[in-house]
Amino acid sequence: MKKVLIMPCLDIKEGRVVKGVQFVNLRDAGDPVECARIYCENGADELALLDITATVEKRKTTLDVVRRVAEVTTIPFTVGGGIASLADAEAVLAAGANRVSISSAAYRQPELIEQAAVKFGSEKVVVAIDADRNPALPSGYEVYINGGNTATGIDAVEWAKQAEARGAGIILPTSKACDGAKSGYDIPLIKGIKEAVKVPVIASGGAGKLEHFLDAATEGQADILLAASVFHFGEILIQDLKQYLQDNGVATV
């Protein structure tokens, strides 16, 4: 039986952890360094840090925050937001990240995926896909870029396959409709991508209760379960989640 990993996500804006609903209506959730330290102590398996306004504001990831978080982080640490070139990716990795996550830049410059995979190794390259429902497309899901603000007309599952073919080591789909709504992960999106690729898939967007994580691991076949607000605001404790998953036949680390 495969083991699923638990991955809290720190969405960063102006140096603080924030969380919203459907990518808007953000509220403060704490200091990123303190959050990272607590998650490491409390049993998280992975950590994500996403500078959520970097791309829209046309700036680079805030490397100072990455460095400070890296100093207290004892688990694999993925950083995304504002990474638009090999040099950007190299700077983020040098600041202490274990992986880089690219989204809008990967869509605009698909060759960046290949270049990063060759230079750093596929295992360090995550391609994040923000998607929303569009019944006109084969999978029913459309890729969005620029922080989930701009529709592309491209099918999300097809794009995931292309990203894998170019060297992505992990695919991170986030459902715009489900993000922050706590109504459950978008299982058809996660499952559709998981069945189309061989690399690990991270479930993201919509966790609100323990059952949602179980659904993502079983029905969605996700390898890593990412969540933010339920962890940030103490609604679900990581150790309780792991016990629940184990009690329901899903192995954890």
Side-chain angles (χ1 to χ4, degrees):
M1 181 187 297
K2 75 173 184 181
K3 292 183 178 181
V4 297
L5 303 176
I6 307 302
M7 184 184 218
C9 181
L10 308 178
D11 290 337
I12 304 295
K13 182 179 182 182
E14 297 174 355
R16 297 286 293 179
V17 179
V18 297
K19 188 55 196 166
V21 177
Q22 296 176 335
F23 302 173
V24 295
N25 299 324
L26 304 176
R27 61 172 170 152
D28 189 90
D31 174 69
V33 176
E34 183 64 11
C35 289
R37 183 186 64 76
I38 291 171
Y39 283 134
C40 290
E41 292 175 354
N42 291 349
D45 303 309
E46 302 252 353
L47 190 68
L49 185 154
L50 301 178
D51 192 335
I52 60 172
T53 59
T55 297
V56 175
E57 294 172 0
K58 295 182 171 59
R59 60 174 174 78
K60 310 300 183 187
T61 300
T62 308
L63 293 177
D64 176 61
V65 175
V66 176
R67 290 189 193 96
R68 290 190 292 115
V69 170
E71 287 175 359
V72 302
T73 301
T74 57
I75 54 180
F77 172 37
T78 298
V79 173
I83 299 172
S85 68
L86 270 185
D88 293 342
E90 191 164 24
V92 166
L93 293 170
N98 300 98
R99 303 190 197 103
V100 293
S101 174
I102 51 179
S103 179
S104 298
Y107 173 80
R108 293 193 185 95
Q109 314 165 60
E111 65 276 9
L112 179 60
I113 305 171
E114 298 171 24
Q115 294 165 358
V118 169
K119 184 160 188 176
F120 310 119
S122 289
E123 71 279 1
K124 292 184 179 293
V125 181
V126 179
V127 170
I129 302 174
D130 292 335
D132 206 354
R133 294 163 186 162
N134 182 343
L137 295 175
S139 72
Y141 292 90
E142 180 178 6
V143 176
Y144 276 66
I145 58 172
N146 298 329
N149 292 308
T150 305
T152 65
I154 300 299
D155 185 88
V157 172
E158 181 57 34
W159 172 229
K161 290 163 63 177
Q162 291 181 36
E164 178 189 42
R166 288 179 178 271
I170 298 178
I171 304 294
L172 167 53
T174 299
S175 169
K176 185 176 178 182
C178 295
D179 178 70
K182 298 184 182 178
S183 57
Y185 292 101
D186 197 326
I187 300 300
L189 172 64
I190 298 164
K191 183 178 180 182
I193 288 178
K194 180 61 185 174
E195 291 180 343
V197 301
K198 295 182 174 63
V199 298
V201 172
I202 302 174
S204 169
K209 56 185 181 179
L210 294 170
E211 292 84 354
H212 296 156
F213 291 91
L214 181 63
D215 290 344
T218 54
E219 294 179 47
Q221 304 170 37
D223 302 280
I224 301 173
L225 308 178
L226 180 152
S229 55
V230 291
F231 295 148
H232 298 339
F233 302 117
E235 297 166 34
I236 293 176
L237 301 180
I238 290 171
Q239 292 298 346
D240 291 347
L241 171 58
K242 288 188 173 184
Q243 188 61 57
Y244 172 81
L245 291 171
Q246 292 165 12
D247 291 344
N248 285 275
V250 175
T252 63
V253 174

